[in-house]
Amino acid sequence: MSRITLCVDMDAFFASVEQKTKPYLKGKPIAVIGSAMHHMVHGSAKRTVITTASYEARAYGVKTGMNIYEGKKVCPQLILVIGDNEKYAYTCMELERIYLTFTPDVEVYSIDEAFLDITASYHLFGSPETVGMAIKKAVKDRFGITCTIGIGPNKLIAKLASDIQKPDGLKWIKPEDVRDTIEDLPIKELWGIGQKISAILGTMGIKTCGELGRIPLSVLRNRFGIIGIRLKAMGLGLDDSPVTREPEDAKSIGHSMTLPKDIWDRREIDAYLLRLSEMVGRRARKNGFIGKVISLVIRYPDFETFSKQKTLKDFTNDTHVIYLSAMDIINSIRLRDKIRLLGVSLSTLTRDPLQLSLFKESRRRKSLLQTMDRINDRYGDFTLTWGSYKIQEDNSGVISPAWRPSGVRCVNVK
Ligand code: TTP
Ligand code: MG
């Protein structure tokens, strides 16, 4: 059964937001450059890079990645606008709320792109295209900006459809049209095929998706290893990666561990608290969350378990802040026995506005991580892992990551 996937991508996102919020920029060739803070640090015009240009500026050849000189050279009347990341992050979060009125399966992929799985919900609105049009209208009504929507049987094709139809477009590539659409498409146009891979494929005489799809799998596997499987699928327009719902409903990020032996010594306890705090902080940072409440869970050898919380003044995902709070909590209770299990969690979560993937680099990293996850899902955990991980993962197989530590009975101690 084929799924119906929708890709939403804002048109000239930062520039459109600036033109909307500063009406005197409307219809003008503008380029958005690094945010104010960034500008103070990298002040020189050579190093100040254009993050995006309005479509008016693009008509002159202004491109993302040009520095200010290069931009002004092709378009002397180019207006430079210093970006405001918080504004874009806010818009991004509000956009997600719009998407969620159409389906719960929303993956915010970058600051201005999202994937929606509407397989189960499009009937409620009519057809997949009605959903697309309704989203375009809702975005326009709310923010006065346009977006392009691609619809397809998977993320790869949905993304391609939106790329093809930019700007202010809507395109549905139905399963039966996939083959024809991609047959002559240069492989580098396909989402996820970078310059390196397309260069290697080029030396193998493969230029189009059609050609890629016809190469025997064994040839690709020999050349690219496991990635070859994915490449072959891409050449056929196939992509089985799911739209992964954002854990926006995650109430907390927590880790707990049953200790190798019951402990009493404060230095030992603190060492575990630091380790748990780091795991929580890292996970929150990785997923772009900050939280306001730190909870500590303690279980005694007789299995009595309780937790105590501390509310912070500011949101955080800083390991050190989490650790200090956990120590504050443990200082405020009189331990009646040795400790068998310790847990630390961060709750009252919200998105960290500064951590959305603003840059292509971090998006690439995100897709790298997804690829690793997919490989590990298929071939077993830690088939593929980071070099530094091996060193960190020392003796303990006892750590149980608990995204939602619902198994712990919480008894608040006053
Ligand atoms: P894109 O979706 O790549 O570009 P865009 O929305 O400006 O234009 P298009 O109509 O072609 O989709 O990126 C989204 C925003 O992310 C963009 O407005 C600015 C920002 N951005 C960066 O900060 N750094 C980058 O390298 C890129 C590519 C984008
Ligand atoms: Mg965009």
Side-chain angles (χ1 to χ4, degrees):
M1 245 298 283
S2 165
R3 308 203 66 77
I4 299 187
T5 308
L6 199 142
C7 171
V8 192
D9 188 327
M10 298 301 125
D11 301 323
F13 183 46
F14 294 3
S16 305
V17 171
E18 293 307 327
Q19 287 179 320
K20 189 60 198 170
T21 50
K22 303 186 179 103
Y24 54 90
L25 296 174
K26 198 170 176 240
K28 302 257 166 64
I30 74 162
V32 177
I33 54 178
S35 62
M37 189 59 192
H38 188 259
H39 206 58
M40 271 165 13
V41 182
H42 308 283
S44 89
K46 262 256 170 57
R47 300 189 55 189
T48 303
V49 167
I50 293 170
T51 48
T52 198
S54 66
Y55 274 81
E56 294 84 356
R58 290 181 198 195
Y60 291 89
V62 180
K63 291 197 173 75
T64 297
M66 285 183 165
N67 66 32
I68 293 179
Y69 290 132
E70 294 165 328
K72 285 271 188 188
K73 198 165 162 197
V74 295
C75 176
Q77 65 275 52
L78 185 67
I79 303 169
L80 301 173
V81 181
I82 294 177
D84 177 353
N85 287 347
E86 299 235 1
K87 192 157 69 183
Y88 314 138
Y90 170 77
T91 309
C92 174
M93 283 191 272
E94 291 295 300
L95 286 169
E96 183 182 14
R97 282 155 68 125
I98 293 177
Y99 307 149
L100 286 168
T101 63
F102 293 92
T103 170
D105 296 311
V106 174
E107 176 178 1
V108 177
Y109 184 71
S110 77
I111 189 96
D112 86 324
E113 295 160 284
F115 291 101
L116 283 64
D117 187 329
I118 57 167
T119 313
S121 63
Y122 76 86
H123 313 86
L124 303 171
F125 305 91
S127 66
E129 279 156 314
T130 352
V131 175
M133 286 185 304
I135 292 174
K136 283 172 67 70
K137 181 172 184 322
V139 171
K140 187 84 186 248
D141 288 350
R142 175 77 170 76
F143 291 106
I145 62 176
T146 62
C147 59
T148 300
I149 294 186
I151 307 171
N154 56 49
K155 286 157 82 171
L156 181 75
I157 298 300
K159 174 72 184 151
L160 176 67
S162 93
D163 285 347
I164 291 176
Q165 213 64 17
K166 263 189 169 298
D168 199 11
L170 173 67
K171 185 180 176 66
W172 184 10
I173 301 177
K174 296 184 182 163
E176 61 270 27
D177 300 329
V178 170
R179 282 264 170 136
D180 285 349
T181 310
I182 66 172
E183 174 62 33
D184 297 322
L185 187 79
I187 41 170
K188 63 174 186 317
E189 308 268 304
L190 216 50
W191 178 50
I193 298 198
Q195 276 176 2
K196 247 192 210 146
I197 288 183
S198 76
I200 299 171
L201 288 171
T203 65
M204 297 165 72
I206 306 167
K207 294 267 186 289
T208 67
C209 293
E211 288 161 359
L212 179 60
R214 283 186 291 273
I215 294 287
L217 178 58
S218 57
V219 173
L220 292 171
R221 280 212 61 156
N222 279 341
R223 187 67 187 76
F224 295 98
I226 268 168
I227 304 294
I229 299 172
R230 172 117 178 100
L231 288 174
K232 168 88 181 177
M234 288 170 93
L236 297 170
L238 303 172
D239 172 17
D240 61 4
S241 69
V243 171
T244 38
R245 219 189 266 202
E246 298 289 308
E248 93 285 335
D249 55 344
K251 293 288 184 295
S252 66
I253 293 175
H255 285 273
S256 63
M257 63 197 289
T258 300
L259 308 176
K261 64 175 178 29
D262 298 343
I263 56 168
W264 175 255
D265 184 76
R266 256 316 282 271
R267 275 171 316 181
E268 271 186 81
I269 294 172
D270 290 353
Y272 281 114
L273 287 181
L274 176 59
R275 185 158 169 181
L276 288 162
S277 302
E278 164 64 1
M279 292 166 76
V280 170
R282 212 169 61 189
R283 192 161 191 171
R285 293 190 296 273
K286 184 171 156 214
N287 290 282
F289 283 103
I290 44 181
K292 226 177 164 181
V293 174
I294 311 289
S295 312
L296 180 73
V297 178
I298 287 179
R299 181 174 292 159
Y300 290 117
D302 62 7
F303 279 85
E304 191 213 326
T305 305
F306 73 87
S307 78
K308 191 173 177 181
Q309 321 193 316
K310 179 181 160 115
T311 302
L312 306 175
K313 278 212 295 294
D314 300 307
F315 283 90
T316 192
N317 57 18
D318 182 321
T319 297
H320 201 63
V321 176
I322 299 169
Y323 173 55
L324 290 178
S325 312
M327 290 219 295
D328 279 353
I329 298 172
I330 211 160
N331 288 337
S332 72
I333 52 191
R334 191 169 336 127
L335 296 173
R336 70 157 170 81
D337 199 348
K338 290 180 172 177
I339 297 175
R340 179 188 156 79
L341 169 145
L342 268 176
V344 173
S345 73
L346 179 68
S347 55
T348 318
L349 299 176
T350 183
R351 281 274 168 69
D352 182 349
L354 297 175
Q355 248 179 273
L356 287 156
S357 7
L358 287 168
F359 302 104
K360 277 264 151 67
E361 260 323 299
S362 53
R363 292 198 235 170
R364 277 199 203 106
R365 185 165 174 88
K366 190 166 170 180
S367 70
L368 169 68
L369 289 170
Q370 282 176 343
T371 305
M372 285 179 66
D373 288 347
R374 227 176 284 136
I375 288 168
N376 289 335
D377 285 348
R378 186 174 301 183
Y379 297 95
D381 283 348
F382 294 104
T383 300
L384 203 59
T385 186
W386 308 105
S388 57
Y389 236 69
K390 284 278 177 239
I391 302 159
Q392 274 175 30
E393 296 285 308
D394 46 22
N395 44 19
S396 47
V398 289
I399 298 166
S400 55
W403 180 252
R404 275 152 245 190
S406 51
V408 178
R409 192 165 54 92
C410 293
V411 184
N412 279 307
V413 178
K414 298 268 148 42

